[in-house]
């Protein structure tokens, strides 16, 4: 990649300081030096809050990160070999997506044994080594915990389905059949699940149906059963916490409590016999009781960090109970209204793409930036994960000549300046993009992608098939799961030496990779490294600061103010502020009146960072028009770095 310089700082001394950060020999040392400078104003809050609030979390999708043994699958030893890379990036905690033993019907989200590791990934001892090596580098490790359901091959389910009288029968949700007016057997309810299929599967041996919100291979555990809950805490949480892991990302955390009346829902889509029914299993009547118990019995005694996956939330008032410190439930949650923009819903029309405008995105972000103000709750910041398309392909411009890198850097600036705990997904830091549009459905490996495409085929509608394929090209989970691009010269982008990898490497790997971007001041990777350091250095503004959106109706500019709780030194009662202004378009846009926005004099305006180079930083003359996909951060005080 040969793009422009990533940033221009306030003073020549600062330019020199940041230039030194590019040097490979000094990068690790410099990062830790800046991270531990607690004397500056912006660092004052770090000693008063839990480590995970200002921490940078990095999600690793193990199948696709680094293959160490040439079998075409990424593995834990491969991840261990790249920990210095993550430490140099500025990562504080590694989130490892599921590695437990599994038949891999849903890439490890169907667990066969919580206390064993899927053999291609490694061993339990490899996880121990990973934990130790993370800790040596000052990083934490959290595992992906999947306890709404198991695999059909888990010993618990094999016992449960062995007979109606088995002691574990009630560890899953079994119901007798119903019969229609023709005497035909039908499921207990008309609910439709997340993978374009009914939520009930018939078991011929015991003559009952079992419930599964996802694939038939993923039967739901019955959290109403206390013995089942205790086994979950002991076998899946305490086992790993005793081995030294630091916490969990908890999958589908608001689906443990179902509505136990098990009744039909209204027909909202006449195309199917089964109907979307998230109101029957999301945020159920005992959900907060279950989570409080889980935290008290399994997480709190270890000081484990928890981040839960919430879906189908009505709004912030429903999210807050999960993250209120006084309620002692979860530390953080992922709320998906912003990242799901463009989708047609969670069920039938999910992959029928729905265009949206920048003001709509701003509205979602503002809602979940501000809902914690005046409360004891906390929020998260993310725009990529393993369940969505790549951010630069969805929110930026990955296809226009010259704009891929520019928009990737603007998205980095956006994420790094938002309030809350920041989560990065592997490859986001180098601007990895969606799979090429020329790839066919045969290149999509995900059970969800294939299920929705097959459902469209069965409809007999060519229009629905084409609409679904178009939506998959933008939104499919597969985009985030292609192998990581380490270099542009090695076989399979440096991911693996195998003859064939489990998933194709992207066609653009020669242009988008770590090796090409390392040491290039204008690269997406080096920009991320810098902006993460600034985020921590000015944590009072970017991690903890209040958020105030401006220019909400503007279709091309994204503007907001971040305000600290800390006064500017020597100016009692005047809070430190940052103005973030970004051009989210291909066209030049005017700059806002920076002085007026910050409420200060012209000589008090300072440009902290720009996503482009070549702009002088001596105050107001930097308030020129914004070029295509350009972002800037202005301060109302002289920064001290």
């Amino acid at each position: 990649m040969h793009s422009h310089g990533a940033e221009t700082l306030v003073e020549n001394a600062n330019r020199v300081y940041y230039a030194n950060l590019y040097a490979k020999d000094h990068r690790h040392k410099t990062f830790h030096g800046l991270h531990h400078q607690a004397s500056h104003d912006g660092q004052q809050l770090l000693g008063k809050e839990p480590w995970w609030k200002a921490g940078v979390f990095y999600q690793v999708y193990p199948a696709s990160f680094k293959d160490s043994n040439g079998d075409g699958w990424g593995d834990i030893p491969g991840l261990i070999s790249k920990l210095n890379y993550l430490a140099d990036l500025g990562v504080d905690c590694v989130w490892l997506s599921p590695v437990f033993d599994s038949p891999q019907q849903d890439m490890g989200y169907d667990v066969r044994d919580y206390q064993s590791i899927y053999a291609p990934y490694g061993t339990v001892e490899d996880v121990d080594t990973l934990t130790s090596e993370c800790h040596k580098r000052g990083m934490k490790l959290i595992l992906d915990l999947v306890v709404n359901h198991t695999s059909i091959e888990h010993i618990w389910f094999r016992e449960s389905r062995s007979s109606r009288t088995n002691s574990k029968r009630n560890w899953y949700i079994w119901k007798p059949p119903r019969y229609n007016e023709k005497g035909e057997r039908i499921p207990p309810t008309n609910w439709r699940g997340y993978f374009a299929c009914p939520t009930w599967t018939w078991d011929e041996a015991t003559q009952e149906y079992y419930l599964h919100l996802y694939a038939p291979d993923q039967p739901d555990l019955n959290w109403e059963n206390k013995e089942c809950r205790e086994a979950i805490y002991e076998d899946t949480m305490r086992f790993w916490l005793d081995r030294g892991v630091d916490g969990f990302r908890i999958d589908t955390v608001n689906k443990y409590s179902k509505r136990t009346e098990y009744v039909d829902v209204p027909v909202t889509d006449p195309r199917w016999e089964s109907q979307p029914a998230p109101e029957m299993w999301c945020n159920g009547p005992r959900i907060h009781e279950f989570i409080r118990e889980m935290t008290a019995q399994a997480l709190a005694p270890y000081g484990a960090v928890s981040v839960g996956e919430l879906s189908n939330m009505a709004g912030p008032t429903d999210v807050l109970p999960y993250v209120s410190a006084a309620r002692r439930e979860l530390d953080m949650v992922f709320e998906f209204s912003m990242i799901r923009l463009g989708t047609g819903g969670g069920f039938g029309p999910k992959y029928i793409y729905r265009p949206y405008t920048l003001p709509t995105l701003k509205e979602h972000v503002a809602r979940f930036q501000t809902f914690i103000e005046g409360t004891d709750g906390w929020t998260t910041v993310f725009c990529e994960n393993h369940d969505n398309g790549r951010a630069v392909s969805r929110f930026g411009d990955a296809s226009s000549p010259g704009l891929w890198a520019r928009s990737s850097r603007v998205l980095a600036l956006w994420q790094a300046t938002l309030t809350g705990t920041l989560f990065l997904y592997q490859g986001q830091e180098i601007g990895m993009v969606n799979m090429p549009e020329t790839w066919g459905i045969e290149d999509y490996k995900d059970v969800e992608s294939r299920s929705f495409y097959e459902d469209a085929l069965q409809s007999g509608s060519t229009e629905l098939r084409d609409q679904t394929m178009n939506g998959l090209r933008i939104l499919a989970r597969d985009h985030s799961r292609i192998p990581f691009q380490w270099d542009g010269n090695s076989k399979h982008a440096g991911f693996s030496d195998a003859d064939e990898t489990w998933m194709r490497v992207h066609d653009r790997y020669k242009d988008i990779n770590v090796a090409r971007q390392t040491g290039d001041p204008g690269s997406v990777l080096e920009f991320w490294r810098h902006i993460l350091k600034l985020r921590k250095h000015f944590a009072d503004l970017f991690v903890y600061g209040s958020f105030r959106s401006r220019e909400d109706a503007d279709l091309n500019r994204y503007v907001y103010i971040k305000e600290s709780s800390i006064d500017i030194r020597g100016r009692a009662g005047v809070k430190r502020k940052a103005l973030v202004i970004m051009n989210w378009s291909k066209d030049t846009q005017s700059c806002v009146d920076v002085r007026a926005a910050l409420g200060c004099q012209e000589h008090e305006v300072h440009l902290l960072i720009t996503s482009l180079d070549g702009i002088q930083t001596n105050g107001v003359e930097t308030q020129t028009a914004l070029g295509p996909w350009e972002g800037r951060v202005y301060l109302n005080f002289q920064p001290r770095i």
Side-chain angles (χ1 to χ4, degrees):
M1 185 184 71
H2 301 287
S3 59
H4 295 295
E7 58 187 57
T8 305
L9 298 179
V10 178
E11 303 170 290
N12 289 332
N14 292 342
R15 295 192 187 96
V16 172
Y17 177 85
Y18 275 90
N20 288 337
L21 295 183
Y22 291 126
K24 292 179 68 175
D25 293 341
H26 298 94
R27 188 174 295 120
H28 187 68
K29 177 180 178 182
T30 307
F31 163 71
H32 284 286
L34 180 57
H35 180 71
H36 292 294
Q37 289 183 56
S39 60
H40 290 158
D41 292 336
Q43 299 286 307
Q44 290 179 3
L45 289 172
L46 293 182
K48 303 176 183 178
E49 298 285 357
W51 68 268
W52 43 265
K53 286 193 173 182
V56 174
F57 287 64
Y58 185 98
Q59 182 184 1
V60 170
Y61 198 73
S64 301
F65 193 61
K66 177 62 179 175
D67 173 20
S68 71
N69 60 6
D71 65 356
W73 277 79
D75 48 48
I76 297 167
L79 167 57
I80 293 170
S81 73
K82 295 297 184 180
L83 288 180
N84 284 345
Y85 166 78
L86 298 182
D88 290 347
L89 177 61
V91 171
D92 297 292
C93 184
V94 176
W95 155 20
L96 182 60
S97 289
V99 292
F100 304 132
D101 184 37
S102 166
Q104 299 295 320
Q105 296 301 309
D106 186 19
M107 291 303 293
Y109 285 92
D110 51 321
V111 179
R112 180 165 47 206
D113 185 347
Y114 291 101
Q115 298 183 5
S116 298
I117 301 301
Y118 181 55
Y121 289 148
T123 65
V124 170
E125 290 70 30
D126 287 330
V127 178
D128 291 342
T129 301
L130 174 62
T131 304
S132 174
E133 292 299 317
C134 283
H135 291 170
K136 287 179 183 178
R137 292 164 175 80
M139 296 189 294
K140 310 282 188 180
L141 174 68
I142 63 172
L143 302 182
D144 210 315
L145 188 68
V146 187
V147 289
N148 176 71
H149 46 266
T150 68
S151 165
I152 57 172
E153 297 183 20
H154 195 288
I155 185 61
W156 295 347
F157 188 71
R158 284 189 283 135
E159 288 190 37
S160 182
R161 79 185 310 182
S162 65
S163 75
R164 292 195 193 185
T165 59
N166 185 273
S167 61
K168 290 187 174 60
R169 181 67 171 185
N170 198 36
W171 284 32
Y172 294 83
I173 300 171
W174 295 91
K175 296 294 176 185
R178 297 184 297 172
Y179 293 89
N180 61 21
E181 62 277 4
K182 298 179 182 179
E184 299 168 328
R185 186 188 73 233
I186 60 174
T189 70
N190 67 342
W191 302 352
R192 184 177 182 84
Y194 288 97
F195 289 167
C197 63
T199 62
W200 297 97
T201 290
W202 176 249
D203 181 63
E204 187 67 28
T206 59
Q207 295 288 292
E208 285 191 324
Y209 287 89
Y210 65 86
L211 180 74
H212 53 88
L213 301 185
Y214 295 90
D217 304 88
Q218 297 166 285
D220 277 45
L221 288 159
N222 182 13
W223 277 68
E224 297 285 335
N225 185 298
K226 186 172 179 59
E227 289 183 356
C228 177
R229 296 200 306 274
E230 177 52 38
I232 290 170
Y233 305 153
E234 180 66 20
D235 290 8
T236 76
M237 301 181 194
R238 298 185 191 117
F239 176 84
W240 289 104
L241 292 169
D242 282 336
R243 302 187 79 92
V245 305
D246 300 290
F248 302 100
R249 176 268 187 184
I250 307 177
D251 187 63
T252 60
V253 76
N254 62 330
K255 297 176 182 173
Y256 303 158
S257 174
K258 278 72 172 178
R259 269 66 173 178
T260 55
E261 58 269 32
Y262 294 102
V263 296
D264 282 349
V265 295
V267 174
T268 55
D269 194 325
R271 292 181 300 163
W272 309 309
E273 291 183 5
S274 57
Q275 298 295 307
E279 67 273 19
M280 303 308 290
W281 59 70
C282 284
N283 312 305
R286 298 185 67 189
I287 189 61
H288 293 291
E289 173 193 344
F290 291 158
I291 294 176
R292 282 194 298 271
E293 179 186 88
M294 174 184 71
T295 297
Q297 295 192 20
L299 301 177
Y302 295 86
V305 64
S306 60
V307 53
E309 179 193 36
L310 292 188
S311 61
N312 301 106
M313 303 304 294
T317 56
D318 295 310
V319 174
L320 189 58
Y322 289 95
V323 294
S324 166
R327 291 174 64 93
R328 300 181 184 274
E329 294 190 21
L330 300 167
D331 294 322
M332 301 172 280
V333 295
F334 298 127
E335 193 284 330
F336 295 110
S337 58
M338 187 280 293
I339 203 172
R340 295 282 165 82
L341 284 173
T343 61
F347 299 90
K350 179 174 182 178
Y351 289 109
I352 307 302
Y353 184 72
R354 294 180 179 177
Y356 61 91
T357 62
L358 179 59
T360 301
L361 182 146
K362 295 177 191 178
E363 178 185 353
H364 285 291
V365 172
R367 183 183 305 120
F368 286 95
Q369 279 286 284
T370 59
F371 86 103
I372 61 171
E373 292 182 10
T375 76
D376 62 351
W378 191 241
T379 192
T380 54
V381 179
F382 65 102
C383 65
E384 282 197 28
N385 62 23
H386 64 291
D387 281 337
N388 292 276
R390 290 290 183 174
V392 68
S393 296
R394 298 180 59 204
F395 307 121
D397 192 333
S399 57
S400 297
L403 295 185
W404 158 74
R406 292 172 72 122
S407 61
S408 293
R409 292 195 299 267
V410 164
L411 294 180
L413 185 146
W414 170 48
Q415 291 288 282
T417 56
L418 292 177
T419 296
T421 300
L422 178 60
F423 286 79
L424 299 183
Y425 180 76
Q426 66 180 47
Q428 182 179 351
E429 77 278 13
I430 59 172
M432 285 182 65
V433 299
N434 276 0
M435 296 157 56
E437 292 187 2
T438 55
W439 289 13
I441 190 62
E442 66 277 5
D443 294 306
Y444 289 70
K445 306 297 185 183
D446 178 40
V447 60
E448 182 179 77
S449 297
R450 290 181 171 272
S451 294
F452 274 89
Y453 187 77
E454 182 62 28
D455 193 56
L457 285 181
Q458 291 181 0
S459 74
S461 168
T462 302
E463 181 182 14
L464 180 60
R465 179 201 65 191
D466 293 345
Q467 287 179 332
T468 299
M469 193 65 218
N470 176 66
L472 289 172
R473 290 189 178 108
I474 301 169
L475 303 166
R477 307 196 304 181
D478 300 81
H479 299 299
S480 62
R481 303 179 181 191
I482 61 175
F484 192 91
Q485 294 152 208
W486 292 103
D487 64 60
N489 301 315
S490 302
K491 192 175 185 178
H492 303 304
F495 161 69
S496 174
D497 292 329
D499 291 334
E500 185 176 350
T501 55
W502 80 277
M503 199 172 186
R504 283 180 66 178
V505 172
H506 201 287
D507 295 353
R508 292 179 65 179
Y509 79 91
K510 291 185 180 295
D511 296 319
I512 304 175
N513 60 71
V514 170
R516 188 166 191 175
Q517 295 186 30
T518 299
D520 176 1
S523 71
V524 179
L525 175 60
E526 295 295 355
F527 187 79
W528 264 111
R529 284 175 170 153
H530 290 329
I531 198 72
L532 290 180
K533 292 176 177 70
L534 288 179
R535 176 177 173 81
K536 290 175 179 177
H537 191 71
F538 297 97
D540 63 311
L541 283 168
F542 301 136
V543 177
Y544 301 104
S546 63
F547 176 97
R548 292 293 178 267
S549 183
R550 299 173 61 92
E551 313 287 335
D552 288 343
D554 196 302
L555 292 171
N556 300 301
R557 294 185 309 185
Y558 195 170
V559 184
Y560 49 86
I561 295 282
K562 297 300 296 295
E563 182 174 306
S564 172
S565 62
I566 296 174
D567 291 349
I568 297 172
R569 283 197 174 187
R571 298 168 63 189
V574 181
K575 302 299 182 185
R576 291 154 53 102
K577 293 181 182 179
L579 171 68
V580 181
I581 176 169
M582 298 169 286
N583 179 1
W584 281 46
S585 78
K586 300 178 181 180
D587 303 315
T588 299
Q589 302 292 326
S590 62
C591 187
V592 301
D593 186 335
V594 175
R595 182 199 60 77
L598 288 173
C600 61
Q601 301 300 311
E602 291 184 357
H603 70 276
E604 295 167 339
V605 173
H606 297 278
L607 178 64
L608 175 66
I609 187 170
T610 170
S611 62
L612 303 181
D613 66 349
I615 298 178
Q616 298 301 311
T617 60
N618 54 344
V620 294
E621 67 184 66
T622 63
Q623 298 175 41
T624 55
L626 292 147
W629 286 101
E630 179 186 354
R632 303 174 194 162
V633 178
Y634 295 94
L635 304 177
N636 69 338
F637 61 95
Q638 175 72 47
R640 303 171 61 212
I641 299 177

